[in-house]
Amino acid sequence: MLVKHIMVFFISICYLTNCSYSDRSAGAVQGNEFIRIITYVAGSEAEEREVEKDAKKKSLRRNLCDAGCDAALADKFMKFHEEGEIEEQLRLLKTHRAALLKTIHEHQKKIDCLDYLVFSLTQATT
């Protein structure tokens, strides 16, 4: 990205001073060619931003999946994300967290029952 900015800077100077800029890949740059290159570089930067945005979305979706969210919940969350509805996103996350915590408590009760049975059996055999 920095290289593109430096290249645009040098091309701009050449354009303003009415000289030509050349490198091995682009050849000589004069006149309307300058506008084409600036448009290309700006387009490339826009594409880079779009790629970064897509990567962030994929990372966010992967994080939701890792947190145990199903596809429907992830889709809702991403819809709210695109719309900038932070309160709705938080509501979804808090609801999912509460459901996970409830599951943990249910499993903890089952583990406690097993521990009691193991304790009872060990007491009975001694």
Side-chain angles (χ1 to χ4, degrees), residues 16-35:
L16 293 173
T17 60
N18 203 17
C19 67
S20 66
Y21 166 80
S22 66
D23 69 7
R24 293 182 186 141
S25 63
V29 176
Q30 289 180 324
N32 292 335
E33 190 74 11
F34 169 75
I35 295 170

Side-chain angles (χ1 to χ4, degrees), residues 43-111:
S44 297
E45 289 177 1
E47 288 172 9
E48 286 178 22
R49 283 192 299 273
E50 194 64 32
V51 167
E52 285 179 25
K53 189 177 176 182
D54 287 344
K56 286 179 182 178
K57 283 181 182 179
K58 286 180 184 178
S59 176
L60 185 57
R61 186 173 281 278
R62 184 174 32 252
N63 194 320
L64 290 168
C65 182
D66 291 345
C69 297
D70 60 5
L73 181 63
D75 289 342
K76 274 186 189 178
F77 185 89
M78 295 306 291
K79 178 180 164 265
F80 290 139
H81 177 72
E82 290 172 8
E83 295 171 355
E85 296 287 338
I86 295 173
E87 292 298 321
E88 289 299 316
Q89 288 176 294
L90 288 171
R91 184 186 59 77
L92 286 175
L93 293 177
K94 287 177 182 178
T95 302
H96 183 65
R97 184 183 188 282
L100 290 175
L101 196 55
K102 182 180 177 187
T103 303
I104 287 173
H105 290 153
E106 290 169 355
H107 288 296
Q108 183 62 48
K109 286 179 185 177
K110 292 175 184 177
I111 291 171

